[in-house]
Amino acid sequence: MKKPNKKAEDNANNKGARTEPENLGTLTASLEENAAAVSFLFKDVDITLSRRFENARDGRVKFCVYYSDGVTNSAMASEHIIEPLIVCEGLLPGLGLFEQVKSRVVQANDVKASGELNAIISAIAYGDTVLLVDGFSEALIISTKNFALRGLSEPEGEKVLSGPREGFTEGIMQNLSLLRRRIRTHHLKLRFKAMGRQTGTTVCIAYMDNIVNPDILKEVERRLSAVDMDGILDSNYLVEHIAENSVLGLNTAGSTERPDVVCSRLLEGRVAILVDGSPVALTVPYLFIENFQSNEDYYMSPIYASYGRLLRALCFVLTMTVPALFVAISAYHHEIMHSSLMLNIAVGRRAVPLPAAVECFALLIIFDILRETGVRMPSYGGQALSIVGALVIGQSAVEAKLAAAPMVIIVAFTGIAILVVPRLYTASLTGRYLCLILSSTLGLLGILAGVTLFLIHLLNLKSFGVPHLTPINALSFQEVKDTFIRAPWPSMLTRIRPLTRNITRSRQKS
Amino acid sequence: MKRILAAIIFLAVVFSLCGCQDYRGLNSLTFVAGMAVDADEKDPEILVVNLEIVDTQSAAADSPMRSSLSEGQGRTLTEAIYNMNGKLHGELYFGNCELVVLGQKLAAKTDIGVLLEGLSRNARIRDDLVILVSQEKTAKEILDNPDSIVSFFVGANLMKKTPDTTGAKARRLYELGEMISRGTTDLALPAIAFANKEAGELRLGPLAIYSGEKMAGYMAKADMPFFLLATEKLKGGNYSFFFEDDGRGLPLYASLLLRKSEPRVNVTFDGERFTFYIDIKAEFSVSELSPGWENPGAPFFKELEERVEESLCHSVGDMAARVHGEFGADITGFSDALRNRDHRLWERVRDSWHDYLKDAVIKVSCEADITDAGLI
């Protein structure tokens, strides 16, 4: 067997030692050399198959195909590529052979020519069939992808009572088809980008070119270009690279598994980023108010939606502050409580050995352990866990006088309330512990300090150059209609200004 | 660097206001629900203070909370309270102290200002507690019921939430302090007594009337509704009128429900004598009439209103005259009215106000409006 070209060999041998993307070189005019180079690169990759064959009419016309078993439609490869090339009449060696094969023989809808080994390797790995033709320094890359993908299903974490139930899957093309089906205009731009030195993951930037703010789009592209890592296996890999960092865990990039949500955000001027292999699409910029919005809000009555949003906002505030308030009041500011409430709490706490703050920390951590266990354990164990959690940790702890009943109620309420706003889970946790630490040492003034710090952080936070508190930081009549309340669709006439320069969403009919 | 410095300064300032040095666990507190203050039998200069302590240690989930009394003696309130500290197992907590009962002997002998000073200057005692005068022999008897927390019961059940004619408005510590500081000469505090001593049932008694700094006596029970009508904005209550048969064909009695009333007090001075005016506007609905008046017309109600006005003017005037004459006390707010109207004159007559009060003329006018005949 002939050795592959020198550059490809060097690159293959030094694999892993480089930080720059590998450049494997180009093909030569010799089928033998090219086949040897590709075979060498796919050495020990048993799912990569090759087939060498000749035209039945003229044995001088030689071909070699490469494809990966399991990700390629092998029936298509044999019936629409190999068979026509073998049986085709009139194929003659010479300069026109390559173009003749491309335009008249191969029966596929997506055929590209490339002489770059990088592109060829990537195509084979991604399910395409590569056809090498003797005498040509280019190969045909024929789309024959056929992945095993799960079917469309409703995302577990974003279930709705009414509205579309489709969710993204791990296949980027399938996901893009879900977007394309909803937005049937040439203004929807879908630009691919290969990211990850080793994985070469396809990342798609989607936006509406007539709505998006060009500055934001430029910023997204700049940040994506700056990402340099060996593999992108999920969209969250990108979030931590491109989004602003929040020490309190506030999201500055949105994520969703629902195509309807991505479409609605595209129509507001946001940019979506889809990553192959991940069902989670990113949308940027991400505003604080989005934490309280749900796609279902737009499919149901505005009154119900507004009530739901206010409830979510209230739960966020409560889950962050209620344990801290309880500790501050029961340890420092007893005067605030009504006498009967105060005495009931005092009776509950009379034999508890731990101070209120320590008791609160302990119970919150136990609750988080239970929650984490519930998430990680098999679903059939969930019921048993909830019984153990409720009975053993709750009732038994109270009976054994290790915890006071009011504190168990506070912690349970806090634990439930945090689930109402899942997108703010991290922020709620950090905010809650920050307030709790401050209230344990400084009382109500501590909570005030904690909330002030939280607000200062929130006011300073930006998402892709847009203030995170937009549009709450500069309220205008139109923009307030989709914040903590959701106005009826006919009255929501404009988009949010910093996200787009094309602010007209709908027009009022006279 | 600036941020770190700002954070350090912020935390230092906050820590000086409230920090873990102020931590007080609920299980280390002894909750005071109420306070009874009496004068010592042998030495009236000594105060006997009984604190009603909530028993949180033995409280069970399915039974009401109990209480106990803890007694201390001293020449001042603070001294008496500190003298009992050794008998208690936790730090005394007055944040839930809702009631102070003054013994009637103490009220008659000790200046109310002295007692209020001891209560209001103490930062641990909340300033919205209610002050009552015991009609029993001592104030201690009122709170001495271990099966319940008397102070909370009184606060929740006996103190009126909406002002009506069934009882006097509770006087809170801050109100009394404010009244004294603005120069109100005489006070009236609600009294409390047993309705059934064996059963421990309590009721609000008539007003304890202070003339100057000391209690002078109790208002007659029959005068209470008219005193309230003359001094408070009422939103409920009942007034029953019994008329003589004068041949005009009016009912012999009428019970009217008070919907709302508003008094206005005014004062004039002719250089020698004060004239006090009490103007009352009241709105009634008919609750009960003597038989024979199933379907009366508008002239009837006009006539009835006139008779009600006449009766009310008479009763209020009698009440005011009795209070002024019997106790020499100005509890109907005449001094406040004069101070608001003519502060210089008030400053001039302030020291001899009670002398002027004796010679004053009281004029009462009443406007009764029956807005509901009680018929569909």
Side-chain angles (χ1 to χ4, degrees):
Chain A
M1 194 180 109
K2 212 170 176 185
K3 294 271 281 177
N5 66 51
K6 188 81 172 81
K7 201 168 184 181
E9 189 181 5
D10 287 349
N11 285 335
N13 289 337
N14 292 330
K15 197 160 64 175
R18 289 168 178 275
T19 54
E20 294 297 316
E22 290 177 286
N23 184 0
L24 298 172
T26 55
L27 294 177
T28 65
S30 164
L31 178 66
E32 292 301 326
E33 280 185 14
N34 293 340
V38 175
S39 295
F40 180 79
L41 290 168
F42 280 104
K43 186 180 154 191
D44 296 335
V45 184
D46 294 343
I47 65 161
T48 302
L49 304 177
S50 65
R51 163 93 195 275
R52 298 179 70 154
F53 54 94
E54 298 166 357
N55 182 263
R57 307 288 174 184
D58 187 341
R60 292 172 300 164
V61 182
K62 294 176 182 169
F63 305 99
C64 183
V65 290
Y66 280 89
Y67 60 94
S68 293
D69 196 16
V71 291
T72 302
N73 185 342
S74 53
M76 186 184 168
S78 58
E79 288 170 22
H80 299 283
I81 301 170
I82 298 172
E83 189 183 327
L85 286 168
I86 291 174
V87 301
C88 183
E89 291 181 13
L91 288 179
L92 294 171
L95 286 176
L97 175 65
F98 192 81
E99 193 54 39
Q100 201 180 1
V101 168
K102 184 182 175 187
S103 58
R104 289 174 54 188
V105 183
V106 172
Q107 299 167 7
N109 62 343
D110 183 11
V111 181
K112 283 180 286 193
S114 175
E116 297 289 330
L117 266 172
N118 288 65
I120 288 166
I121 298 303
S122 172
I124 294 169
Y126 199 39
D128 290 335
T129 299
V130 168
L131 174 67
L132 301 173
V133 184
D134 191 21
F136 292 91
S137 57
E138 280 192 312
L140 286 179
I141 298 170
I142 305 153
S143 177
T144 53
K145 296 181 189 72
N146 184 26
F147 304 112
L149 292 171
R150 67 182 169 96
L152 298 182
S153 60
E154 188 170 16
E156 281 297 317
E158 293 178 82
K159 287 199 167 177
V160 292
L161 290 174
S162 90
R165 297 185 197 283
E166 284 175 333
F168 286 137
T169 65
E170 285 71 16
I172 192 168
M173 297 311 291
Q174 194 172 7
N175 294 344
L176 293 177
S177 75
L178 294 173
L179 297 185
R180 176 53 81 190
R181 211 180 72 209
R182 286 171 170 81
I183 304 178
R184 300 165 206 169
T185 166
H186 64 281
H187 288 300
L188 172 61
K189 304 297 179 190
L190 303 165
R191 282 166 44 193
F192 287 117
K193 197 174 174 63
M195 296 184 72
R197 286 195 309 275
Q198 299 296 336
T199 56
T201 309
T202 305
V203 173
C204 177
I205 305 170
Y207 58 92
M208 300 292 292
D209 70 343
N210 57 339
I211 302 175
V212 73
N213 183 336
D215 295 339
I216 292 173
L217 180 63
K218 209 178 285 178
E219 183 64 18
V220 173
E221 285 171 344
R222 188 188 68 75
R223 293 189 191 186
L224 280 174
S225 304
V227 176
D228 180 16
M229 61 189 301
D230 57 351
I232 310 282
L233 300 181
D234 186 74
S235 48
N236 192 54
Y237 282 50
L238 289 178
V239 171
E240 293 179 23
H241 275 98
I242 64 172
E244 281 85 350
N245 184 31
S246 163
V247 287
L248 293 176
L250 287 160
N251 299 323
T252 49
S255 59
T256 179
E257 291 186 44
R258 303 189 66 97
D260 53 322
V261 173
V262 172
C263 288
S264 72
R265 290 181 182 170
L266 289 174
L267 291 171
E268 285 178 340
R270 290 184 178 85
V271 179
I273 300 165
L274 291 93
V275 176
D276 195 18
S278 171
V280 179
L282 305 177
T283 55
V284 293
Y286 186 74
L287 308 180
F288 183 65
I289 194 69
E290 287 180 67
N291 292 307
F292 307 107
Q293 294 171 338
S294 155
N295 56 331
E296 205 173 11
D297 293 346
Y298 301 97
Y299 308 143
M300 300 180 92
S301 150
I303 296 169
Y304 183 80
S306 304
Y307 176 68
R309 282 186 187 179
L310 291 170
L311 215 56
R312 283 172 222 141
L314 179 70
C315 282
F316 172 62
V317 175
L318 291 180
T319 196
M320 223 169 62
T321 55
V322 163
L325 273 173
F326 184 77
V327 168
I329 291 171
S330 61
Y332 293 102
H333 311 282
H334 312 108
E335 297 83 3
I336 290 176
M337 273 189 281
H338 187 265
S339 298
S340 54
L341 176 65
M342 166 87 153
L343 291 174
N344 285 337
I345 293 172
V347 169
R349 289 199 49 75
R350 67 192 155 176
V352 178
L354 299 171
V358 178
E359 184 191 5
C360 190
F361 272 112
L363 282 179
L364 282 172
I365 289 168
I366 289 169
F367 187 90
D368 282 338
I369 290 170
L370 283 173
R371 189 198 58 81
E372 192 65 19
T373 313
V375 171
R376 306 285 162 221
M377 74 186 303
S379 57
Y380 53 78
Q383 198 177 359
L385 179 77
S386 61
I387 293 167
V388 169
L391 290 181
V392 176
I393 308 297
Q395 196 176 344
S396 304
V398 172
E399 282 177 8
K401 297 188 169 59
L402 295 172
M407 190 64 86
V408 174
I409 294 168
I410 294 285
V411 169
F413 169 76
T414 310
I416 292 165
I418 201 172
L419 302 176
V420 178
V421 202
R423 292 189 203 114
L424 282 171
Y425 197 91
T426 316
S428 301
L429 274 183
T430 51
R432 180 202 290 168
Y433 282 114
L434 173 73
C435 286
L436 195 53
I437 290 168
L438 287 169
S439 76
S440 305
T441 49
L442 301 170
L444 283 178
L445 286 171
I447 298 179
L448 194 67
V451 172
T452 307
L453 287 174
F454 192 88
L455 286 175
I456 290 171
H457 176 67
L458 200 55
L459 283 162
N460 281 301
L461 197 60
K462 287 188 175 182
S463 172
F464 289 81
V466 177
H468 197 46
L469 271 180
T470 305
I472 305 169
N473 60 345
L475 289 178
S476 74
F477 183 62
Q478 270 301 323
E479 286 169 359
V480 82
K481 286 182 176 174
D482 194 17
T483 51
F484 287 109
I485 55 156
R486 204 277 279 175
W489 272 115
S491 60
M492 287 200 284
L493 303 176
T494 62
R495 301 186 179 95
I496 299 169
R497 194 172 289 276
L499 300 183
T500 176
R501 290 172 189 169
N502 175 4
I503 64 161
T504 306
R505 192 206 301 258
S506 61
R507 294 180 202 282
Q508 269 181 329
K509 285 183 181 174
S510 56
Chain B
M1 189 60 197
K2 273 185 186 173
R3 285 185 183 181
I4 295 169
L5 200 62
I8 291 170
I9 292 170
F10 173 78
L11 287 173
V13 170
V14 170
F15 201 72
S16 68
L17 295 171
C18 177
C20 37
Q21 70 274 9
D22 300 316
Y23 186 97
R24 282 182 300 166
L26 285 176
N27 38 12
S28 69
L29 299 179
T30 299
F31 296 93
V32 179
M35 193 189 300
V37 188
D38 287 299
D40 187 50
E41 295 265 334
K42 294 171 188 167
D43 183 358
E45 296 299 313
I46 300 290
L47 296 176
V48 180
V49 176
N50 278 276
L51 298 184
E52 188 181 26
I53 307 288
V54 181
D55 185 2
T56 54
Q57 297 303 315
S58 62
D62 51 353
S63 61
M65 260 189 233
R66 294 166 60 84
S67 65
S68 60
L69 289 183
S70 187
E71 189 175 299
Q73 295 184 355
R75 282 162 299 172
T76 65
L77 271 178
T78 312
E79 190 179 285
I81 290 168
Y82 269 85
N83 281 346
M84 76 180 72
N85 256 346
K87 304 173 194 172
L88 302 166
H89 55 76
E91 182 190 346
L92 280 175
Y93 176 72
F94 288 87
N96 296 100
C97 180
E98 295 190 0
L99 181 69
V100 171
V101 185
L102 305 177
Q104 54 180 334
K105 276 188 188 168
L106 177 83
K109 288 180 180 173
T110 309
D111 284 0
I112 182 84
V114 174
L115 295 170
L116 292 182
E117 163 76 9
L119 293 171
S120 55
R121 201 178 283 278
N122 190 333
R124 299 187 301 167
I125 294 177
R126 58 194 310 155
D127 58 6
D128 64 342
L129 56 79
V130 172
I131 298 180
L132 301 177
V133 174
S134 168
Q135 263 195 306
E136 301 298 329
K137 193 178 169 193
T138 62
K140 180 185 175 182
E141 291 171 62
I142 301 291
L143 300 186
D144 194 7
N145 183 354
D147 294 331
S148 70
I149 304 170
V150 175
S151 303
F152 292 169
F153 173 82
V154 171
N157 299 292
L158 295 186
M159 293 294 116
K160 298 295 165 192
K161 302 292 182 289
T162 51
D164 62 19
T165 58
T166 57
K169 188 183 158 194
R171 289 288 178 203
R172 299 187 183 274
L173 179 58
Y174 68 88
E175 286 177 297
L176 294 173
E178 193 266 334
M179 286 167 83
I180 288 175
S181 69
R182 73 170 185 243
T184 302
T185 52
D186 308 303
L187 300 172
L189 294 178
I192 189 164
F194 283 109
N196 181 344
K197 197 164 186 177
E198 279 70 38
E201 285 175 20
L202 290 164
R203 61 167 175 79
L204 277 185
L207 282 173
I209 298 171
Y210 275 75
S211 176
E213 295 274 324
K214 294 185 174 67
M215 192 183 94
Y218 296 100
M219 180 180 277
K221 193 179 175 186
D223 285 339
M224 277 291 291
F226 304 105
F227 169 75
L228 293 169
L229 194 68
T231 55
E232 306 276 352
K233 284 184 180 177
L234 301 180
K235 286 183 178 174
N238 165 255
Y239 287 90
S240 293
F241 301 92
F242 296 88
F243 308 113
E244 288 177 9
D245 187 2
D246 59 359
R248 285 191 288 171
L250 282 169
L252 295 177
Y253 63 84
S255 273
L256 305 183
L257 294 179
L258 180 69
R259 291 187 147 188
K260 59 180 180 184
S261 73
E262 186 176 352
R264 188 174 295 167
V265 176
N266 205 354
V267 182
T268 58
F269 184 58
D270 62 4
E272 289 183 2
R273 212 163 58 160
F274 280 98
T275 306
F276 301 128
Y277 300 90
I278 302 173
D279 297 317
I280 298 166
K281 278 188 181 175
E283 196 178 307
F284 295 96
S285 60
V286 177
S287 173
E288 199 176 334
L289 289 176
S290 56
W293 297 98
E294 284 78 18
N295 193 17
F300 164 80
F301 285 109
K302 182 79 183 154
E303 193 90 31
L304 185 61
E305 281 172 358
E306 282 173 11
R307 297 197 69 170
V308 166
E309 286 167 359
E310 195 181 307
S311 175
L312 284 177
C313 287
H314 188 256
S315 301
V316 171
D318 282 356
M319 177 276 300
R322 258 197 300 278
V323 169
H324 289 182
E326 200 174 321
F327 303 108
D330 170 22
I331 57 170
T332 36
F334 297 136
S335 61
D336 289 342
L338 176 61
R339 190 177 49 254
N340 294 340
R341 192 164 177 268
D342 190 343
H343 194 75
R344 283 183 183 170
L345 176 59
W346 164 248
E347 289 296 331
R348 198 146 52 86
V349 300
R350 184 176 187 163
D351 294 336
S352 46
W353 177 245
H354 287 97
D355 298 330
Y356 282 107
L357 206 60
K358 285 175 193 165
D359 300 330
V361 176
I362 299 171
K363 293 186 175 177
V364 182
S365 66
C366 186
E367 187 183 323
D369 191 8
I370 298 174
T371 56
D372 180 1
L375 299 171
I376 297 169

